[in-house]
Amino acid sequence: MKEKIIKLENGEELKMREPNVRVLKNATNKSEKEMEQTICMIATLTNKQESEIEDLNLKDFKALQDALKDFLVEAGVIA
């Protein structure tokens, strides 16, 4: 399974693993809101709590969001 390493502004490095069908299913079942789905998936894929993801600054969140999007585009889930 593929992983990406995202370096946060505070120097912490988060490993994000490639999402599978279960991760996508759980996120879409949790909420219809895209932001909540994204937070859910990022938290799951980085082994963090959703509250930890919500507490990140916007620059770090954007880096994680971009990494997730790259995985989804590569899999053909989104364009």
Side-chain angles (χ1 to χ4, degrees):
M1 187 165 265
K2 295 179 185 178
E3 287 185 336
K4 292 183 184 284
I5 297 176
I6 298 89
K7 188 168 185 173
L8 304 181
E9 284 196 329
N10 66 5
E12 181 182 1
E13 291 184 348
L14 289 183
K15 285 185 184 179
M16 178 183 286
R17 71 180 196 281
E18 182 179 28
N20 59 23
V21 174
R22 184 180 319 277
V23 172
L24 185 58
K25 176 185 160 199
N26 288 342
T28 55
N29 284 342
K30 180 178 179 116
S31 176
E32 292 183 13
K33 296 179 181 175
E34 185 177 347
M35 177 65 87
E36 290 179 13
Q37 291 174 0
T38 300
I39 291 169
C40 177
M41 285 192 284
I42 290 171
T44 300
L45 298 171
T46 58
N47 294 317
K48 295 286 186 181
Q49 297 295 317
E50 288 184 29
S51 60
E52 293 176 286
I53 302 304
E54 291 170 348
D55 287 339
L56 291 172
N57 66 45
L58 291 176
K59 186 174 180 180
D60 288 338
F61 179 73
K62 176 77 166 90
L64 291 165
Q65 195 175 32
D66 288 346
L68 175 61
K69 182 179 178 183
D70 288 347
F71 278 131
L72 297 175
V73 167
E74 186 178 315
V77 175
I78 61 173

